Amino acid sequence: DVKVTQSSRYLVKRTGEKVFLECVQDMDHENMFWYRQDPGLGLRLIYFSYDVKMKEKGDIPEGYSVSREKKERFSLILESASTNQTSMYLCASKEAGTGVSAKNIQYFGAGTRLSVL
Amino acid sequence: LAKTTQPISMDSYEGQEVNITCSHNNIATNDYITWYQQFPSQGPRFIIQGYKTKVTNEVASLFIPADRKSSTLSLPRVSLSDTAVYYCLVGDISAAGNKLTFGGGTRVLVKP
């Protein structure tokens, strides 16, 4: 089974702190994703990466950056945390694939609930 | 990316079949349709995926008409533990990164 591990289930940080959320997957997947989930808004994509050192902005990248130095690890960075970044953060991974025969299945971690005070 | 529309919530009773329909009018040729299930305080979990016609696995069935502009997830004989949010997604599997877009999901409540 694919395992996606997020380093923390719960985090409490103060406004202005630099925050690192870590995600590790064990299936040698090329693609990794960071989402945030808020009540009434569903999941929204922050950033994704389709290879080591490659990244692309998702729908809501403002206030975030990412790092992918190794294939198995994808980090989300809040440079200066703000209260509006209080949310559930979800990491996912997926194997690469193109063409209609590819499986477009994302495997998610358990999530990190971040509170910024 | 194809936008999806699905009901906000549905109620059902144990033992009944639950059908959730998702509209995706601008689905593209290379898009797959995928459904996820999410329990509170957990990440979404893959349920089923299809491209056309019918797909069935041990958990659910997915019905996709010929025009692919909608799809229906069918959960047979639900139990209380099927109470969750169900997301319908369409994704372009031909592009690098294969980004998926999650809509608001359907909250299914199974009652005793």
Side-chain angles (χ1 to χ4, degrees):
Chain A
D1 276 355
V2 175
K3 191 166 183 183
V4 179
T5 304
Q6 295 184 229
S7 54
S8 305
R9 289 300 308 270
Y10 301 94
L11 274 179
V12 180
K13 297 292 181 181
R14 295 199 176 277
T15 302
E17 278 193 76
K18 190 169 186 176
V19 181
F20 293 85
L21 302 183
E22 306 287 345
C23 176
V24 177
Q25 51 95 0
D26 66 355
M27 281 302 292
D28 203 36
H29 284 171
E30 287 78 9
N31 299 327
M32 296 188 74
F33 307 79
W34 274 106
Y35 297 86
R36 64 176 284 177
Q37 184 173 31
D38 302 286
L41 297 176
L43 277 80
R44 293 179 291 167
L45 181 64
I46 304 172
Y47 268 97
F48 69 99
S49 167
Y50 54 87
D51 202 351
V52 175
K53 297 191 185 295
M54 305 299 288
K55 61 184 179 183
E56 288 207 18
K57 294 179 180 179
D59 300 317
I60 50 163
E62 296 79 19
Y64 303 94
S65 62
V66 290
S67 171
R68 186 134 183 236
E69 297 297 319
K70 293 185 178 181
K71 191 175 186 180
E72 68 271 18
R73 186 180 298 271
F74 192 34
S75 302
L76 180 69
I77 304 155
L78 287 66
E79 296 289 342
S80 178
S82 64
T83 54
N84 64 12
Q85 292 179 309
T86 292
S87 186
M88 168 72 92
Y89 289 88
L90 290 158
C91 174
S93 75
K94 192 186 80 65
E95 63 181 294
T98 58
V100 295
S101 63
K103 296 291 186 183
N104 204 6
I105 300 170
Q106 293 189 23
Y107 297 89
F108 284 83
T112 297
R113 187 166 295 280
L114 172 68
S115 295
V116 182
L117 307 178
Chain B
L1 292 172
K3 180 176 164 54
T4 60
T5 303
Q6 51 185 121
I8 294 173
S9 64
M10 299 178 71
D11 288 356
S12 183
Y13 291 91
E14 281 190 293
Q16 288 188 338
E17 179 181 81
V18 172
N19 295 305
I20 309 171
T21 296
C22 178
S23 297
H24 27 79
N25 289 319
N26 59 337
I27 188 168
T29 303
N30 289 330
D31 284 346
Y32 264 79
I33 299 157
T34 310
W35 285 80
Y36 286 81
Q37 175 192 55
Q38 186 179 25
F39 299 112
S41 299
Q42 294 187 28
R45 182 176 73 102
F46 169 82
I47 302 176
I48 197 166
Q49 183 179 77
Y51 185 77
K52 59 182 179 181
T53 62
K54 177 183 174 183
V55 180
T56 297
N57 62 22
E58 64 278 5
V59 176
S61 294
L62 179 60
F63 299 91
I64 305 168
D67 65 6
R68 304 202 325 125
K69 293 184 183 300
S70 67
S71 58
T72 299
L73 175 73
S74 180
L75 305 172
R77 297 180 299 282
V78 294
S79 63
L80 297 177
S81 63
D82 292 316
T83 292
V85 179
Y86 292 83
Y87 293 95
C88 164
L89 296 83
V90 294
D92 178 0
I93 45 79
S94 66
N98 302 152
K99 190 171 74 165
L100 293 175
T101 298
F102 282 75
T106 298
R107 189 172 299 276
V108 172
L109 174 62
V110 180
K111 303 175 183 176

